[in-house]
Amino acid sequence: MSNPVAYPVFRTSDPVLALRVARQLVGVGDRQCAEVSTDVELRTVQEVLRLREALPDAWFRKEDAEDWVRDPSDPTGLHVGVHAPELSGNPDFLAAHLPLWASMQYRPVDSVEEEFAAVVGSNIGEIWWSGLVWPDVPGSGIHGEANNARVALLFNCRTTDLDERFGDHDVLVHVLRRSSDQKAEERHASWLAAQIGQRVIGPRQE
């Protein structure tokens, strides 16, 4: 099974503009089977409560391997995920488990993007669209691609690891990894970016 690689094609400090460009890129592909997912790191109790209210279908979890070792029984349910309506609103409980991550996965395209972008704020987060099909481009050496066709919008960070914080937002296009022909990867990513008037602006991300 192949894995995609990602190329950044747009960067801005405006999250609304970043979402607009990401949607334009999604529109280059066939969206018939596409889905959208979101994820965000929440560092304060107030952020958790605000997002729980704004996105009542989100799931909250704890990304803390040391906590799993300390208590594998998972009495809080946060190792596997707690649905927003079942998440405790007790500030002391929430403070003891920060940071929390909140996600919504594999939803219909255009069903959650604007609401999520409105509440992500200064937190590290991501929207990604999967299940796309990139078009075939006859005569160019670029072939239609389904399994690795994705778009990601990174909020307040620049890598798909969602690790280092920045004050801007990146749009990335995912294409088929070609270990023996990286130039073909770059050519495909560049062609896709050009369809919306953009270009590759950084190196590939694994």
Side-chain angles (χ1 to χ4, degrees):
M1 183 176 180
S2 60
N3 294 311
V5 290
Y7 287 86
V9 300
F10 184 71
R11 178 173 296 147
T12 179
S13 60
D14 182 348
V16 174
L17 178 58
L19 179 57
R20 185 184 312 146
V21 170
R23 281 173 153 164
Q24 290 172 351
L25 190 55
V26 170
V28 175
D30 184 332
R31 295 176 24 172
Q32 185 173 354
C33 298
E35 297 173 309
V36 64
S37 302
T38 68
D39 208 8
V40 62
E41 181 189 38
L42 304 169
R43 296 165 293 159
T44 70
V45 171
Q46 292 75 17
E47 288 169 344
V48 172
L49 294 174
R50 179 170 60 89
L51 194 136
R52 185 186 67 162
E53 181 177 355
L55 302 175
D57 204 24
W59 287 79
F60 293 80
R61 72 186 189 282
K62 192 171 184 178
E63 292 283 346
D64 184 350
E66 293 181 1
D67 184 67
W68 301 346
V69 172
R70 285 192 300 269
D71 192 352
S73 65
D74 188 23
T76 65
L78 289 170
H79 294 179
V80 294
V82 176
H83 199 206
E86 280 73 57
L87 182 69
S88 171
N90 183 297
D92 293 334
F93 170 83
L94 295 174
H97 296 287
L98 294 172
L100 290 178
W101 286 80
S103 63
M104 296 180 288
Q105 295 189 339
Y106 307 118
R107 306 304 170 89
V109 172
D110 296 332
S111 66
V112 299
E113 293 94 316
E114 289 183 355
E115 291 83 354
F116 179 83
V119 298
V120 68
S122 63
N123 298 296
I124 289 177
E126 180 180 21
I127 302 176
W128 71 97
W129 293 261
S130 56
L132 298 165
V133 180
W134 295 138
D136 193 57
V137 187
S140 69
I142 296 173
H143 303 288
E145 172 61 30
N147 294 333
N148 304 281
R150 305 175 192 172
V151 171
L153 167 51
L154 309 181
F155 292 93
N156 305 301
C157 62
R158 295 181 181 177
T159 71
T160 55
D161 291 331
L162 304 183
D163 48 7
E164 189 173 0
R165 187 176 305 278
F166 285 89
D168 46 32
H169 321 292
D170 278 21
V171 176
L172 294 89
V173 62
H174 294 246
V175 297
L176 173 65
R177 178 195 306 272
R178 300 179 186 272
S179 299
S180 60
D181 190 358
Q182 188 172 331
K183 289 190 179 300
E185 286 177 11
E186 296 173 358
R187 187 166 61 250
H188 195 183
S190 295
W191 184 88
L192 290 164
Q195 304 315 297
I196 60 167
Q198 303 298 334
R199 60 182 179 84
V200 170
I201 60 172
R204 78 200 299 244
Q205 297 186 25
E206 303 289 338

